[in-house]
Amino acid sequence: MKEGAILKAYDPQKDKVYELDIEEYVEGAVAWAMPAHFPLEALKSQAVCCRTIAIKRMRIFGGSGCIRFPDYDICTDFRHCQGFLEEDSKKLLWKDDWEKNSAKIKKAVSDTSGLILTYNNNPIEALYHDTCGGFTEDSENVLGNKISYLRRVECGFCKDSPNYSTTKIITLKNLEKKLGINLSYKAERDEIKGIFEEVKTTGTGRIKKMKIGDREFTGDDIKELLSFPSNKFSWKIVTVGFEVMGKGHGLGMCQYGARGMALKGYSFQDILNYYFTGVEIKKILIPPRNKPLISKKIVIDPGRGSKEDLCGPMGISEGFINFEIAKNLMDVLKKEGAQVILTRNSNENKNLIERVNLINNYEPDLLISIHQYFLKPEKEKYIEIYYFPGDKESKRLSECIRKILINTLEVEAVISEADLFILRESKCPSVVIFVSNLNNPQEEKRLTDEEYRKNIVKSILSGIIQYYCGLLP
């Protein structure tokens, strides 16, 4: 039984799901990303990059998961998330060197266990590529926006890469076909500046003289020097040679540069700090699988509060019920290891702006706002959950809580978008839950039952845990 947080990865080619602890996943990601024969310090730097990318996506750490395959934290498509090799693929790739290479990569991963790259205390997009060809690139030239830690650096460490400089020969016909273009250069004997210039011919088309490069030749000179059968000849461009520098997008860590730095005695910390500007290498707390809320900062908002709150037919005030549910929810969240605050600590009147300022100053991972509604008295066993329009994470949180509420309380629960001030202004995934219709006498009576309130709280807690475990309804 794995004890650490579990990462869910999806392989779209094999239609296969992997459930792995983080370090186990990083071993497979490093095996895919970097040749195992690279120096250990280079492999360590690769392990930190692969772990950072995974942590940034994992929902248990507040990530958004894989955008293309939203049921999972990450996918194994390197063009979208990050490549990954399972054990059978490693054996096939490494053959007789499997045990040696596996041990080397395991050491690189274990020596950097839990370490990630952060900028302003958040995991970065720790991009990497094969060979930069002399300089890495600024993010705005590739991604279209400036990212402070993805800045251009000069790299003199990747010159040994087989991809540092390569030549690609392409025929003009292929060039036209692959680019979907028509080239205007068709005529034979067109002068080509710097190559064929100042061409003079006879009336029958024989070359009298021409300049090639920096020298002038007669047609007979060329005939003799190039062993042509006559001095009546022409030329045309058939192929184009492209000199290509580097391999990959050029952002972040140059892998062959990391290799070169490691061979010169640099540590993995030196390598990462060289290629990523202004970052910090930090050890992340990995929550146990059975305690996914450890270290999560959560705010519970029991509404405005006031002695003048609206009341049900029996005289129970909304502010009192909200506060009782919020206190209970805070207690169970703390038992799960979360750090929790309330936006008010009694039935005091605290306005919306005050509460939102408190929320944002705390910099929470989640906000749960508890309310009751006052509909027609006949409306019963009906719960509404709101999230801000277009906020995908808040929507998923709403869906997780809604599913548990329906199954536990046997109620009708709906989720909707709403441009509410508290949702719009709070800088974290946020939901507003209208728990019951306080105008209904039966609803009001149920809310006075402590066990019923505890069931509401347990349902919200289970929905939050489901959200952080990366599960979808």
Side-chain angles (χ1 to χ4, degrees):
M1 178 71 179
K2 299 179 178 70
E3 295 182 357
I6 298 302
L7 175 143
K8 292 178 68 178
Y10 177 63
D11 186 333
Q13 277 194 321
K14 298 177 181 177
D15 190 25
K16 184 174 180 178
V17 178
Y18 302 95
E19 292 194 3
L20 307 163
D21 69 47
I22 295 166
E23 301 307 307
E24 188 180 0
Y25 166 79
V26 173
E27 288 176 18
V30 173
W32 182 90
M34 182 174 276
H37 63 77
F38 273 28
L40 185 61
E41 292 302 306
L43 290 167
K44 288 180 186 179
S45 66
Q46 185 65 60
V48 175
C49 288
C50 290
R51 186 181 297 107
T52 304
I53 288 172
I55 294 294
K56 186 172 176 64
R57 282 161 175 72
M58 287 178 71
R59 292 191 172 99
I60 198 168
F61 295 105
S64 59
C66 176
I67 303 301
R68 187 175 296 171
F69 303 105
D71 288 353
Y72 308 99
D73 291 308
I74 202 165
C75 74
T76 62
D77 184 346
F78 72 93
R79 295 162 295 187
H80 185 249
C81 287
Q82 186 165 239
F84 176 82
L85 286 182
E86 60 181 348
E87 286 306 307
D88 288 344
S89 299
K90 292 177 193 174
K91 290 177 181 178
L92 193 64
L93 175 66
W94 294 330
K95 299 182 174 61
D96 293 341
D97 291 328
W98 173 72
E99 287 188 3
K100 179 183 73 174
N101 290 345
S102 291
K104 188 176 180 182
I105 286 177
K106 278 182 184 290
K107 179 168 176 54
V109 173
S110 65
D111 284 358
T112 62
S113 179
L115 295 180
I116 64 167
L117 291 164
T118 66
Y119 189 86
N120 290 338
N121 289 319
N122 293 308
I124 72 166
E125 195 66 52
L127 299 176
Y128 51 87
H129 59 281
D130 184 280
T131 306
C132 69
F135 287 89
T136 64
E137 191 53 87
D138 289 323
S139 62
E140 57 268 32
N141 296 328
V142 180
L143 305 176
N145 59 298
K146 183 176 180 178
I147 299 173
S148 298
Y149 53 80
L150 293 176
R151 313 315 304 149
R152 182 180 92 155
V153 298
E154 185 174 359
C155 174
F157 302 104
C158 62
K159 292 180 180 178
D160 289 342
S161 168
N163 300 306
Y164 185 80
S165 176
T166 54
T167 301
K168 180 79 172 176
I169 305 296
I170 303 177
T171 65
L172 291 188
K173 187 175 181 180
N174 251 349
L175 193 67
E176 288 180 315
K177 182 179 179 181
K178 290 186 176 183
L179 299 183
I181 60 172
N182 291 309
L183 294 171
S184 60
Y185 179 82
K186 297 291 184 184
E188 298 179 346
R189 286 190 176 173
D190 274 3
E191 292 192 359
I192 304 171
K193 190 174 181 181
I195 303 176
F196 303 141
E197 297 178 289
E198 300 175 18
V199 181
K200 306 294 182 185
T201 60
T202 67
T204 60
R206 294 179 182 274
I207 300 294
K208 290 175 65 177
K209 63 179 179 177
M210 62 184 292
K211 186 179 179 183
I212 301 178
D214 60 354
R215 288 184 58 193
E216 190 176 89
F217 298 88
T218 66
D220 287 333
D221 290 337
I222 297 169
K223 171 178 172 291
E224 295 300 323
L225 290 168
L226 299 181
S227 302
F228 288 173
S230 84
N231 62 3
K232 186 177 182 179
F233 57 85
S234 60
W235 55 88
K236 60 181 177 180
I237 297 176
V238 177
T239 62
V240 178
F242 292 91
E243 186 180 4
V244 184
M245 302 297 292
K247 180 181 179 182
H249 49 56
L251 294 176
M253 186 180 76
C254 169
Q255 291 172 306
Y256 266 90
R259 170 185 174 272
M261 290 185 72
L263 289 173
K264 290 180 179 293
Y266 289 97
S267 68
F268 77 90
Q269 296 97 329
D270 295 329
I271 293 168
L272 294 169
N273 282 304
Y274 184 76
Y275 287 109
F276 296 100
T277 303
V279 298
E280 293 182 275
I281 301 171
K282 291 189 174 181
K283 194 173 184 73
I284 192 166
L285 175 64
I286 308 293
R289 190 178 189 184
N290 62 344
K291 290 279 187 180
L293 302 186
I294 281 181
S295 81
K296 296 300 175 196
K297 295 172 69 175
I298 298 175
V299 173
I300 306 168
D301 170 49
R304 179 187 62 185
S306 166
K307 291 180 180 178
E308 287 75 42
D309 271 340
L310 293 171
C311 298
M314 295 167 55
I316 303 296
S317 77
E318 180 193 9
F320 169 77
I321 291 295
N322 292 347
F323 188 65
E324 289 301 306
I325 292 173
K327 280 196 303 181
N328 198 335
L329 182 57
M330 178 177 69
D331 290 342
V332 296
L333 284 168
K334 283 184 174 180
K335 286 179 182 177
E336 293 296 322
Q339 302 171 34
V340 189
I341 64 166
L342 302 179
T343 57
R344 60 182 175 89
N345 292 310
S346 64
N347 201 23
E348 61 184 332
N349 186 346
K350 189 172 282 189
N351 67 44
L352 191 53
I353 293 175
E354 287 180 288
R355 283 152 41 215
V356 167
N357 285 339
L358 186 151
I359 291 163
N360 289 331
N361 288 338
Y362 188 59
E363 297 182 344
D365 298 296
L366 279 186
L367 164 67
I368 306 291
S369 186
I370 304 293
H371 298 268
Q372 314 302 314
Y373 55 83
F374 292 83
L375 302 175
K376 293 180 179 179
E378 58 269 20
K379 193 73 173 179
E380 188 178 356
K381 290 191 172 183
Y382 178 74
I383 296 177
E384 293 180 333
I385 306 172
Y386 293 102
Y387 65 93
F388 189 72
D391 186 338
K392 293 180 181 178
E393 286 306 300
S394 297
K395 180 182 180 182
R396 194 171 65 80
L397 175 61
S398 302
E399 289 170 339
C400 290
I401 294 173
R402 171 182 174 271
K403 177 186 175 184
I404 305 295
L405 285 169
I406 290 172
N407 293 339
T408 304
L409 301 180
E410 297 181 350
V411 295
E412 179 186 357
V414 298
I415 63 171
S416 306
E417 293 183 338
D419 187 7
L420 302 176
F421 183 84
I422 195 167
L423 297 177
R424 183 173 66 251
E425 298 301 320
S426 297
K427 299 172 183 177
C428 64
S430 311
V431 296
V432 171
I433 305 174
F434 284 85
V435 173
S436 66
N437 178 16
L438 209 53
N439 257 348
N440 180 283
Q442 296 302 317
E443 292 275 87
E444 184 180 20
K445 185 177 179 181
R446 271 191 290 272
L447 287 171
T448 62
D449 181 353
E450 187 177 353
E451 284 304 310
Y452 182 73
R453 294 200 301 269
K454 284 183 177 178
N455 284 335
I456 293 171
V457 165
K458 287 177 184 176
S459 299
I460 296 172
L461 170 67
S462 296
I464 293 171
I465 290 174
Q466 188 181 72
Y467 168 80
Y468 272 119
C469 287
L471 302 175
L472 287 174

